[in-house]
Amino acid sequence: MSKVDSSFIKANEATSKDWPSIGLDYAETRFSKLNQINPDNVKDLGLIWSYDLESSRGVEATPVVVDGVMYQSAPWSVVHAIDARTGNRLWSFDPGVDRSKADKGCCDVVNRGVAVYRGKVFVAAYDGRLIALNGATGAKIWEKDTLIDHEHSYTITGAPRAFNGKVVIGQGGAEYGARGYVTAYDTETGNQLWRWFTVPGDPSKPFEDASMEAAAKTWDPSSKYWINGGGGTPWDTITFDPDLNMVYIGTGNGSPWNRKIRSPSGGDNLYLASLVALNADTGKYIWHYQETPGDHWDYTSTQPMILADITIDGAPRKVILHAPKNGFFFVIDRTNGKFISAKNFVDVNWATGYDANGRPIEVPAARGDEPYDSVPGAYGAHNWHPMSFNPQTGLVYLPAQNVPLNLTPERSFAQNAATPGKFGGMTGWNLGFVLDGTRPKAPAFGRLLAWDPVHQREIWRVEHVSPWNGGTLSTAGNLVFQGTADGRFVAYDAVKGTKLWETPTGTGVVAAAATYMIDNVQYVSIAVGWGGTFGLGTRATEFQNSGRVYTFALNGTAKMPGFVKYQSVGLLQGVKYNPKDVEEGSALYVAACAACHGVPGVGRGGNIRNLGYVPAEVIANLKDIVFNGPFRDEGMPDFTGKLREEDVAKIQAFIQGTADDIRSKTK
């Protein structure tokens, strides 16, 4: 893999023989020109090998494959190098992330992949380090702390991108009061080459550049937004156009979510929820397009984007195809950031559309002071799960969804206050909203859409049993591959949407697949492992298996590993409590427990247990768990100094009281 550089990645586009970068090519189309596997023979796909990632949290990375070697990242930023012919381990690298710091991030201890470049494998660790490894041995070559401070809860879950001797990475943390930025490092030395902030800093200090000075005019300084960071963290998509020499990033949500707290007099709050183009050599701002001005709903624009050349109104256009959380599919001119079109791909209730200037036509009640069912909810109409674009069919294959969520504005707000009733307040969340204080009414769904970006219309869809399904891979063999939340890996006809093949996976699938050619054989590989923010407390399968890579080819005959069912006990009963403590316990639970464990007895849990379905002795001895307990190495926070023993007794009362209430209603 020493030969992998920008020229190699670009040349590979002609054949798609290897899968040398996270989205296959720099345009991140996830469209392979391989066609050995097609609708006529896909029924003959069989397992060649599987590889145990030895993980129990979410697996979100697409494998990178070059010269018969696969590089796959796993939870806690662990990297595995695998012989892609046999599935044998070549090496693995664990960056040693402190397992007790899982609560520093909102959305599971995931990692979305690695970059390879000139003999090195680059991985960004959950705790903010960027690490260069020797591709042949896994030995560490250099390591850089990418964080501007350690006072805020910054984390990294995204994949770095490497091009022209640079490796670029962003970070997450907007819910915790972080200020977003993206940084480029020298691939050989690790020296910082440039950095661009996504939102302005303290206006009493010199601005980093003219783009920050311009952005500051769109924020209300009365809130001192810079103290709370502002947000805008670019935690996932970064795309490179070698012909235009531009880097495109998608920026995150505001901090806090509620704009009336973040910027009381209003304003667009640049560059939240935007697509931004930077000069690849210098990191200098070139243009932006803001998809959700004055973001108020956690409508990030960090979802994967695709660079495409398509014909619109008879003229060729260089565009960005993008489907962010807010539910609209965007086509943007990538040479200058000009708006071309936008159309909702799911039902939405915060805007009725976009005007000719690319501004949303908002529904006033969506920013009101009363509880509001935001549709889509904060999980997004499309989240980080990658989409793909097939230039032969002209279609984008898009994982779409809705997870209902009601937003009630907080009447009083204090940054970092561990206030009972404040969602995630004891683990650092700052939203400015009470979540689901009023029960949401919008339907939950998950579906696969085939979307025509030229005419902005749906061509076909497949309904799934749950939200939070995997990313997509499309091929010149007229196939679309997707994993599902209910534990299947499926191939569809790319034109018709007809299901042609499927196999069980033993756990929900959230990542996207890759395909590549070795010794004239086309392989398809998918990494599975249920998790991510929705998967922490919710699931759609009865199986609980470790993360695993499956590799398939025509006429494969290997046997699937055994699948293990979730070991679940009945609804909690027998824990003694004072009924008078239930109400206060509810507020404490929301602040300390709900973000990971969900509502006791409601749902069956995800990759973290639902506390309504655990042995009674677990809840009876809860203080021994929440205070420097035995699960810290699995990501359990230590609530010493945040909770008192009498608080724990009230949480116990809420958990058992809720279980008792559910039991009485189901008799």
Side-chain angles (χ1 to χ4, degrees):
M1 54 94 80
S2 60
K3 65 185 180 183
V4 177
D5 58 12
S6 295
S7 297
F8 177 88
I9 293 173
K10 194 166 177 58
N12 188 67
E13 295 175 14
T15 64
S16 303
K17 177 179 179 294
D18 292 294
W19 192 282
S21 64
I22 200 67
L24 175 59
D25 44 41
Y26 278 135
E28 306 217 348
T29 63
R30 295 178 180 262
F31 169 73
S32 171
K33 292 183 172 65
L34 300 181
N35 59 10
Q36 186 179 95
I37 304 169
N38 55 61
D40 293 332
N41 59 24
V42 68
K43 67 182 184 301
D44 298 322
L45 269 187
L47 185 67
I48 299 295
W49 55 261
S50 69
Y51 176 92
D52 190 350
L53 292 170
E54 301 169 356
S55 62
S56 60
R57 304 294 284 266
V59 177
E60 298 189 352
T62 302
V64 170
V65 185
V66 178
D67 281 348
V69 178
M70 176 182 293
Y71 302 95
Q72 175 71 48
S73 67
W76 301 108
S77 321
V78 175
V79 181
H80 299 261
I82 308 165
D83 185 322
R85 292 178 173 85
T86 65
N88 293 330
R89 179 177 299 187
L90 300 176
W91 54 259
S92 64
F93 172 81
D94 186 339
V97 173
D98 184 345
R99 300 307 203 250
S100 69
K101 304 297 185 183
D103 61 309
K104 296 295 183 182
C106 69
C107 306
D108 206 354
V109 292
V110 297
N111 186 279
R112 294 189 195 90
V114 303
V116 298
Y117 195 85
R118 292 180 181 169
K120 299 180 182 66
V121 177
F122 299 94
V123 63
Y126 184 75
D127 55 18
R129 291 172 290 151
L130 180 64
I131 303 169
L133 306 174
N134 182 300
T137 67
K140 186 178 357 181
I141 298 174
W142 56 255
E143 173 182 299
K144 296 292 178 179
D145 182 357
T146 73
L147 304 187
I148 57 174
D149 69 65
H150 290 269
E151 296 176 7
H152 294 91
S153 292
Y154 283 104
T155 55
I156 301 181
T157 55
R161 270 64 166 192
F163 53 85
N164 293 358
K166 302 174 186 68
V167 56
V168 181
I169 191 65
Q171 71 302 112
E175 278 73 28
Y176 299 83
R179 182 190 184 196
Y181 57 93
V182 62
T183 314
Y185 297 88
D186 186 285
T187 56
E188 290 300 311
T189 65
N191 293 334
Q192 181 177 318
L193 298 176
W194 53 256
R195 171 170 287 159
W196 186 77
F197 286 93
T198 63
V199 298
D202 186 343
S204 69
K205 299 177 181 179
F207 293 108
E208 286 84 2
D209 57 27
S211 68
M212 292 297 100
E213 184 176 7
K217 297 175 183 177
T218 69
W219 293 71
D220 180 356
S222 69
S223 68
K224 296 185 178 180
Y225 58 82
W226 55 92
I227 294 176
N228 299 335
T233 47
W235 50 264
D236 191 21
T237 188
I238 302 169
T239 313
F240 172 58
D241 186 330
D243 297 326
L244 298 176
N245 198 37
M246 292 185 192
V247 177
Y248 306 101
I249 65 169
T251 66
N253 55 282
S255 178
W257 291 2
N258 189 331
R259 189 184 64 171
K260 293 186 178 182
I261 295 171
R262 184 180 71 242
S263 189
S265 65
D268 285 352
N269 294 176
L270 294 174
Y271 297 93
L272 299 179
S274 298
L275 301 179
V276 182
L278 307 175
N279 181 289
D281 294 332
T282 65
K284 185 178 180 180
Y285 164 90
I286 299 174
W287 60 254
H288 79 275
Y289 171 70
Q290 190 169 38
E291 294 176 323
T292 311
D295 171 49
H296 189 67
W297 308 273
D298 187 24
Y299 285 162
T300 63
S301 291
T302 51
Q303 289 58 54
M305 68 182 85
I306 292 172
L307 312 185
D309 296 345
I310 60 179
T311 299
I312 300 175
D313 295 330
R317 302 290 296 270
K318 292 182 176 295
V319 302
I320 292 174
L321 306 177
H322 199 226
K325 276 189 181 182
N326 74 13
F328 286 86
F329 193 101
F330 291 87
V331 181
I332 305 297
D333 188 315
R334 73 175 184 270
T335 68
N336 55 26
K338 299 299 183 182
F339 173 82
I340 297 174
S341 67
K343 177 69 174 178
N344 59 299
F345 58 92
V346 298
D347 290 338
V348 304
N349 72 353
W350 70 276
T352 59
Y354 278 69
D355 65 22
N357 296 316
R359 295 281 304 190
I361 305 166
E362 291 191 11
V363 175
R367 290 189 189 269
D369 295 323
E370 299 304 317
Y372 194 78
D373 277 15
S374 63
V375 180
Y379 289 97
H382 173 223
N383 207 291
W384 62 267
H385 314 81
M387 59 187 189
S388 59
F389 172 63
N390 183 333
Q392 296 177 347
T393 64
L395 301 178
V396 172
Y397 302 98
L398 168 62
Q401 63 181 23
N402 183 54
V403 178
L405 188 71
N406 184 278
L407 301 176
T408 301
E410 288 188 26
R411 300 305 179 190
S412 61
F413 175 83
Q415 183 77 5
N416 296 329
T419 308
K422 178 180 178 180
F423 185 85
M426 291 189 185
T427 52
W429 287 59
N430 294 280
L431 306 183
F433 287 109
V434 175
L435 302 187
D436 287 346
T438 299
R439 184 179 296 277
K441 298 178 181 178
F445 63 80
R447 60 181 61 131
L448 171 62
L449 298 181
W451 188 266
D452 177 350
V454 174
H455 300 97
Q456 289 282 29
R457 63 185 181 184
E458 178 184 317
I459 301 302
W460 55 257
R461 73 168 64 176
V462 174
E463 296 286 356
H464 293 315
V465 301
S466 168
W468 214 248
N469 298 282
T472 69
L473 159 69
S474 54
T475 74
N478 195 38
L479 296 172
V480 177
F481 291 90
Q482 185 190 30
T484 65
D486 61 341
R488 298 174 296 129
F489 184 43
V490 189
Y492 302 94
D493 184 292
V495 173
K496 302 175 183 177
T498 308
K499 183 172 70 174
L500 302 174
W501 170 86
E502 73 171 53
T503 186
T505 57
T507 178
V509 186
V510 292
T515 187
Y516 47 92
M517 185 80 77
I518 302 176
D519 302 330
N520 295 317
V521 175
Q522 183 183 354
Y523 295 87
V524 180
S525 293
I526 182 74
V528 308
W530 182 243
T533 181
F534 181 75
L536 290 173
T538 309
R539 59 185 168 89
T541 175
E542 295 300 322
F543 295 104
Q544 184 180 30
N545 292 278
S546 64
R548 186 173 287 272
V549 180
Y550 292 108
T551 292
F552 304 90
L554 296 175
N555 304 311
T557 58
K559 290 185 177 180
M560 279 282 185
F563 296 158
V564 177
K565 286 193 173 183
Y566 276 88
Q567 301 301 305
S568 180
V569 298
L571 193 61
L572 180 70
Q573 60 182 340
V575 178
K576 295 181 180 179
Y577 67 97
N578 185 341
K580 295 180 180 179
D581 288 339
V582 170
E583 184 174 353
E584 287 188 55
S586 171
L588 290 163
Y589 184 93
V590 167
C593 314
C596 292
H597 294 283
V599 180
V602 178
R604 301 170 297 168
N607 65 19
I608 295 178
R609 300 289 293 274
N610 183 290
L611 298 182
Y613 294 99
V614 297
E617 55 267 26
V618 172
I619 304 304
N621 297 300
L622 194 59
K623 67 180 179 64
D624 296 327
I625 295 173
V626 301
F627 299 133
N628 196 25
F631 299 113
R632 291 191 69 193
D633 287 345
E634 298 178 27
M636 173 78 184
D638 179 11
F639 287 95
T640 302
K642 298 178 181 178
L643 290 171
R644 302 166 298 175
E645 285 199 17
E646 52 265 40
D647 294 331
V648 175
K650 293 173 182 176
I651 291 174
Q652 290 170 310
F654 170 70
I655 295 170
Q656 183 62 78
T658 302
D660 289 345
D661 186 53
I662 291 171
R663 184 180 294 106
S664 67
K665 290 179 179 179
T666 56
K667 286 184 178 178

